[in-house]
Amino acid sequence: MVRAQPGARPRTLSSVRNVEARRREQREQEERRREPEEVTPAPQHARLWHVTLSVSGERTPLPDVRRALEQLAHDHPFLLTSRYAADHAEIRYWEEARDLHDAAALALRLWGEHRHTAHLPPWEIVGLEVVDRETYHHRVAENAGPLPAAPVGVHPFRGRSDQE
């Protein structure tokens, strides 16, 4: 039985329940304040990756290979340089991606996705290297990797006697 204080209004069952509900809600709010906030991982931002894609296949006339690589460079503006011969080519460029897996996946699709629009030879991908920007610059500084692409553009491999 609930006793009323002298001079106070008698409490009804519903008013007691309301008071209890408010107290419960206050306790829950206090507990939530004491709990550490959930730490949400910072969104991963895209990074730059240096890609070297090597392709090869049946011999193709050099002017056709050159035109196709120039068109690929036009279609894919981040291409740094392409070197080519009648039966193989190497394409170097920067790719922006969240992680290495995404950069590699994009690189592996590059040749196939542009094969028809750029009139690329029906060659297969025979090599792929993807390194982050820091690793690339570290290699260049130590003369341990490919030199920076200079001059930028589409060029035949030097010292090759496969001119057609």
Side-chain angles (χ1 to χ4, degrees):
M1 180 171 168
V2 178
R3 289 193 167 198
Q5 297 289 331
R9 280 186 15 210
R11 290 185 178 172
T12 64
L13 186 57
S14 65
S15 68
V16 171
R17 286 184 182 153
N18 287 341
V19 169
E20 288 175 358
R22 273 188 259 129
R23 285 184 184 154
R24 191 174 332 114
E25 187 177 318
Q26 286 174 344
R27 279 193 304 269
E28 288 172 359
Q29 286 176 353
E30 287 175 25
E31 287 175 17
R32 281 194 296 267
R33 276 189 229 123
R34 281 187 235 131
E35 291 176 6
E37 289 185 26
E38 254 186 64
V39 178
T40 55
Q44 287 191 335
H45 298 286
R47 297 165 44 192
L48 284 178
W49 301 88
H50 186 266
V51 175
T52 303
L53 183 69
S54 300
V55 294
S56 73
E58 292 185 25
R59 291 178 69 80
T60 303
L62 287 175
D64 293 349
V65 176
R66 181 178 183 85
R67 270 193 303 276
L69 290 174
E70 286 172 345
Q71 183 61 48
L72 178 62
H74 177 72
D75 294 349
H76 196 289
F78 295 107
L79 237 57
L80 289 177
T81 188
S82 297
R83 299 186 304 162
Y84 65 94
D87 62 351
H88 66 282
E90 178 185 272
I91 301 164
R92 294 173 48 199
Y93 66 98
W94 289 100
E95 184 68 71
E96 188 175 26
R98 182 176 46 92
D99 58 22
L100 180 121
H101 291 102
D102 289 350
L106 291 167
L108 289 170
R109 290 196 310 258
L110 177 75
W111 192 261
E113 287 181 354
H114 291 274
R115 181 171 287 154
H116 295 292
T117 58
H119 306 290
L120 297 168
W123 295 345
E124 68 176 327
I125 297 172
V126 295
L128 174 65
E129 180 186 53
V130 180
V131 294
D132 68 349
R133 185 177 183 189
E134 183 178 328
T135 301
Y136 174 80
H137 288 298
H138 194 61
R139 285 180 175 180
V140 169
E142 293 180 345
N143 293 321
L147 295 175
V152 172
V154 177
H155 307 283
F157 278 104
R158 292 189 179 156
R160 298 290 303 206
S161 60
D162 55 356
Q163 300 292 322
E164 291 187 349

